Amino acid sequence: MVEDETLIEEVVVLGLEDAGYAVATAHTAEEAIASLEKTDSTVRAIVTDVNLVPNKLTGWDVARRARELTADIPIVYMSGASGHEWTSHGVPNSVLIAKPFAIGQIVTAVSQLLNAGGPTVGE
Amino acid sequence: MSTTLPVRNLEEANLLAQAIVNTIPEPFLVLDADLRVLEASRSFYEIFKVEPAETQGCLLYALGHGQWDIPALRLLLETILPERVAMDGFEVDHDFPAIGHRIMLLNARKVLYDESDTMAILLAFRDVTERRAIEHEKQALLERSEELRLQNEVLLQEMKHRVGNSLQIIASILLLKARAVSSDETRFHLQDAHQRVMSVAVVQQHLDMTNGIDQIEVGTYLEKLSAGLGASMIGDNQPVTITVVSDSGMIPSAKAVSLGLIVTELVINALKYAFPEIHHQAAIAVRYTIDQNDWTLIVSDNGVGKAPNQAPKADGGLGTTIVAALAKQLDAKVTMKTDPAGFTVSVARTLAAAPLLEAA
């Protein structure tokens, strides 16, 4: 779970933990990519904010790197902007949830992607 | 049909030709085969600030200290014209000592005589300097406004992102508080407040998709709003179906916010009070109909209804107040009906009820 805004991070983590997931967090794209690249990484799905200020890398980069490491890993983007960038920057079979969202939307998206093991769940 | 010019001899023909040349507002030259000036129009002298004495009989290129010795003009007269009889709209861009930088369109024409091997060349000038300047200015303005439009687009995207993020932070605080408090009542209040923030946010998200136009499609908006309410308010222990049936139409975003908040309050109320016991087909219906300038919003449930003499719930008070205030803002009337089939609230705006407020 990658989010630079602590309050938002907190709520998403609580929501995912309530749903039974163990959550590892990162505040920047760089941090997230570094932890994904560890050989003992057990990450099964990624929830990432898109605009991770003030760093150069964005949530789009996190997802791209994650897919290089694990071909089908589920990706859920969170973004305040509308989804038109998603079509060009998002990885295939990902979900974009617009901010502000209800925590249930994130949990549902993660579960559906994990259960489906692939196909896109449209937002 | 042919007409004969009213001239009797060469002299008169000459006079007529001279008069024609002098009447034309645009500078005009008659040259011989050697490019010597035979005649120049009055406007030529005026515009290029030269005297007849230093013009007539002179070679074109020698005129006015060689100001007409222009490569483009040489090309026209020495290369293009010998191959063809006429050339129109030939552009010459030149700095003239007396009148400054000018852009001219030249029309040139060879006049060949039947019984002579001499010829004349007619040369007409049109000064398009100002026209070009206006065209350039127009082009620059167009480019500038396109640039501004793109800048605006970027700013708008940035604003949307920030508003979305800010609303998310507010919603997160309310949700975190709701988890932290020990009183159930306070927790419900905080959850409701969270829900209200989310409902306002749905308008924001919809405006996103309609590219900054301050109108949103009411049907898709209400569906999205209700889906959001369902996703966050309905627990696994008591499934409730929320359906939306709406006429399609565009409404201003300000009205959408009010309408959305009314729906939010009514749906929250229904979820709280309509199904105190497990009901397997629990359902809430949101209906929106448009009849020209009038509209009706109906939110109904198939729950237990409301006892007629039941006092408003302590925590239901705020919801009722909000609905009343928002309905007033929309010039609409709130009607409630309870029967064994459930509880129905209708919020209706009819023209007859508020004829003067249509413009608002």
Short mmCIF file of all heavy atoms in Angstrom, two decimals, chain A residues 8 12 23 26 32 41 48-49 51 64 67 72 75 94-95 114 118 121:
data_model
loop_
_atom_site.label_atom_id
_atom_site.label_comp_id
_atom_site.label_asym_id
_atom_site.label_seq_id
_atom_site.Cartn_x
_atom_site.Cartn_y
_atom_site.Cartn_z
N ILE A 8 -4.76 9.14 4.99
CA ILE A 8 -5.41 8.27 4.00
C ILE A 8 -4.82 6.86 4.12
O ILE A 8 -5.55 5.86 4.11
CB ILE A 8 -5.22 8.83 2.57
CG1 ILE A 8 -5.85 10.23 2.48
CG2 ILE A 8 -5.82 7.90 1.53
CD1 ILE A 8 -5.63 10.94 1.16
N VAL A 12 -6.92 3.30 4.83
CA VAL A 12 -6.88 2.19 3.88
C VAL A 12 -6.28 0.95 4.55
O VAL A 12 -6.78 -0.17 4.39
CB VAL A 12 -6.07 2.58 2.62
CG1 VAL A 12 -5.94 1.39 1.68
CG2 VAL A 12 -6.75 3.72 1.89
N VAL A 23 -0.84 -5.85 5.73
CA VAL A 23 -0.49 -4.72 4.86
C VAL A 23 0.90 -4.18 5.16
O VAL A 23 1.24 -3.93 6.31
CB VAL A 23 -1.52 -3.57 5.03
CG1 VAL A 23 -1.26 -2.47 4.01
CG2 VAL A 23 -2.94 -4.10 4.90
N ALA A 26 4.35 1.92 2.18
CA ALA A 26 5.47 2.74 1.71
C ALA A 26 4.90 4.13 1.43
O ALA A 26 3.74 4.26 1.07
CB ALA A 26 6.07 2.14 0.44
N ALA A 32 8.61 1.92 -2.22
CA ALA A 32 7.77 0.78 -2.59
C ALA A 32 8.51 -0.17 -3.52
O ALA A 32 8.50 -1.40 -3.34
CB ALA A 32 6.49 1.27 -3.25
N SER A 41 10.14 -10.80 -0.87
CA SER A 41 8.88 -10.06 -0.92
C SER A 41 7.69 -11.01 -1.04
O SER A 41 7.69 -11.93 -1.85
CB SER A 41 8.87 -9.11 -2.12
OG SER A 41 7.57 -8.63 -2.32
N THR A 48 -1.89 1.62 -4.76
CA THR A 48 -0.99 2.76 -4.78
C THR A 48 -1.67 4.07 -5.19
O THR A 48 -2.51 4.10 -6.09
CB THR A 48 0.23 2.49 -5.70
OG1 THR A 48 1.07 3.66 -5.68
CG2 THR A 48 -0.18 2.20 -7.14
N ASP A 49 -1.29 5.12 -4.48
CA ASP A 49 -1.67 6.47 -4.87
C ASP A 49 -0.94 6.74 -6.18
O ASP A 49 0.14 6.19 -6.42
CB ASP A 49 -1.23 7.44 -3.76
CG ASP A 49 -1.65 8.87 -4.04
OD1 ASP A 49 -2.65 9.08 -4.75
OD2 ASP A 49 -0.97 9.79 -3.54
N ASN A 51 -0.28 10.15 -7.58
CA ASN A 51 0.62 11.30 -7.42
C ASN A 51 1.32 11.23 -6.08
O ASN A 51 0.74 11.53 -5.04
CB ASN A 51 -0.19 12.60 -7.46
CG ASN A 51 -0.76 12.84 -8.83
OD1 ASN A 51 -1.33 11.92 -9.43
ND2 ASN A 51 -0.61 14.03 -9.32
N ARG A 64 4.24 -0.51 -12.78
CA ARG A 64 4.99 -1.06 -13.91
C ARG A 64 6.11 -1.97 -13.42
O ARG A 64 6.32 -3.06 -13.94
CB ARG A 64 5.54 0.07 -14.77
CG ARG A 64 4.73 0.29 -16.03
CD ARG A 64 5.30 1.41 -16.88
NE ARG A 64 4.35 2.52 -16.92
CZ ARG A 64 4.64 3.77 -16.63
NH1 ARG A 64 5.86 4.11 -16.28
NH2 ARG A 64 3.71 4.69 -16.70
N ARG A 67 4.77 -5.23 -12.03
CA ARG A 67 4.40 -6.19 -13.08
C ARG A 67 5.62 -6.83 -13.74
O ARG A 67 5.56 -7.96 -14.20
CB ARG A 67 3.54 -5.49 -14.15
CG ARG A 67 2.09 -5.29 -13.73
CD ARG A 67 1.33 -6.59 -13.71
NE ARG A 67 0.01 -6.45 -13.13
CZ ARG A 67 -1.07 -6.08 -13.81
NH1 ARG A 67 -0.98 -5.84 -15.10
NH2 ARG A 67 -2.24 -5.97 -13.21
N ASP A 72 1.34 -11.07 -13.06
CA ASP A 72 -0.11 -10.82 -12.96
C ASP A 72 -0.53 -10.12 -11.68
O ASP A 72 -1.70 -10.12 -11.32
CB ASP A 72 -0.87 -12.15 -13.06
CG ASP A 72 -0.61 -12.82 -14.39
OD1 ASP A 72 -0.52 -12.10 -15.40
OD2 ASP A 72 -0.46 -14.06 -14.41
N ILE A 75 -3.25 -4.73 -9.31
CA ILE A 75 -2.90 -3.33 -9.04
C ILE A 75 -4.19 -2.51 -8.87
O ILE A 75 -5.07 -2.57 -9.72
CB ILE A 75 -2.14 -2.71 -10.24
CG1 ILE A 75 -0.92 -3.54 -10.64
CG2 ILE A 75 -1.78 -1.24 -9.95
CD1 ILE A 75 0.28 -3.39 -9.76
N SER A 94 -5.80 -3.44 -14.42
CA SER A 94 -5.71 -2.73 -13.15
C SER A 94 -7.04 -2.03 -12.90
O SER A 94 -7.91 -2.02 -13.77
CB SER A 94 -4.59 -1.69 -13.21
OG SER A 94 -4.83 -0.76 -14.24
N VAL A 95 -7.20 -1.51 -11.69
CA VAL A 95 -8.42 -0.78 -11.35
C VAL A 95 -8.00 0.59 -10.85
O VAL A 95 -7.01 0.71 -10.13
CB VAL A 95 -9.20 -1.52 -10.23
CG1 VAL A 95 -10.37 -0.67 -9.74
CG2 VAL A 95 -9.71 -2.86 -10.74
N LEU A 114 -7.81 -10.29 -6.76
CA LEU A 114 -7.13 -11.48 -6.25
C LEU A 114 -7.90 -12.74 -6.60
O LEU A 114 -7.32 -13.75 -7.00
CB LEU A 114 -6.95 -11.37 -4.73
CG LEU A 114 -5.77 -10.53 -4.25
CD1 LEU A 114 -5.84 -10.32 -2.74
CD2 LEU A 114 -4.44 -11.18 -4.63
N GLY A 118 -6.79 -12.10 -12.57
CA GLY A 118 -6.46 -11.51 -13.86
C GLY A 118 -7.45 -10.47 -14.38
O GLY A 118 -7.20 -9.29 -14.27
N VAL A 121 -11.55 -5.60 -13.51
CA VAL A 121 -12.80 -5.25 -12.91
C VAL A 121 -12.96 -3.76 -13.16
O VAL A 121 -12.18 -2.97 -12.67
CB VAL A 121 -12.79 -5.55 -11.40
CG1 VAL A 121 -14.13 -5.20 -10.80
CG2 VAL A 121 -12.45 -7.01 -11.17
#
